Amino acid sequence: MNLDLLKELVAFQRYGTLSSTAEHLMITQPTVTRGMRRLEDELGVSLFDRRVSNHIKLNETGVYAATEAAKLLKAERDFTE
């Protein structure tokens, strides 16, 4: 599991848009989009509701995944400290 992808997911949960997530992480929006698709592929589940054009939001699974990812990232930070 790529920790950078988990950081992107957690940032998306916090900021709510791909562009805000990209700006916060100082990467491009297409990079975030590709990363989220790759994370969905790795997990084998859909994390986003894409029914509204030009707007995505986390679905129930995505909210759960982002919450758990935040816990994993905190554990990783604690471990390295």
Side-chain angles (χ1 to χ4, degrees):
M1 182 65 48
N2 183 324
L3 293 181
D4 288 333
L5 295 180
L6 296 181
K7 289 175 187 175
E8 290 177 26
L9 179 62
V10 170
F12 182 87
Q13 183 180 38
R14 181 173 182 190
Y15 296 102
T17 66
L18 293 170
S19 60
S20 294
T21 299
E23 183 178 333
H24 171 75
L25 297 173
M26 294 186 278
I27 57 178
T28 66
Q29 183 175 339
T31 300
V32 175
T33 300
R34 283 189 302 272
M36 294 301 91
R37 288 199 187 273
R38 189 168 57 233
L39 184 59
E40 286 179 314
D41 289 344
E42 284 183 24
L43 296 174
V45 295
S46 174
L47 300 173
F48 299 93
D49 180 1
R50 294 180 172 90
R51 288 181 278 173
V52 179
S53 65
N54 292 330
H55 182 73
I56 67 170
K57 66 178 189 169
L58 291 173
N59 61 24
E60 188 176 326
T61 303
V63 170
Y64 176 77
T67 301
E68 294 302 308
K71 292 176 189 176
L72 286 170
L73 292 170
K74 182 183 181 322
E76 188 266 341
R77 279 191 310 272
D78 291 347
F79 179 77
T80 56
E81 288 176 3

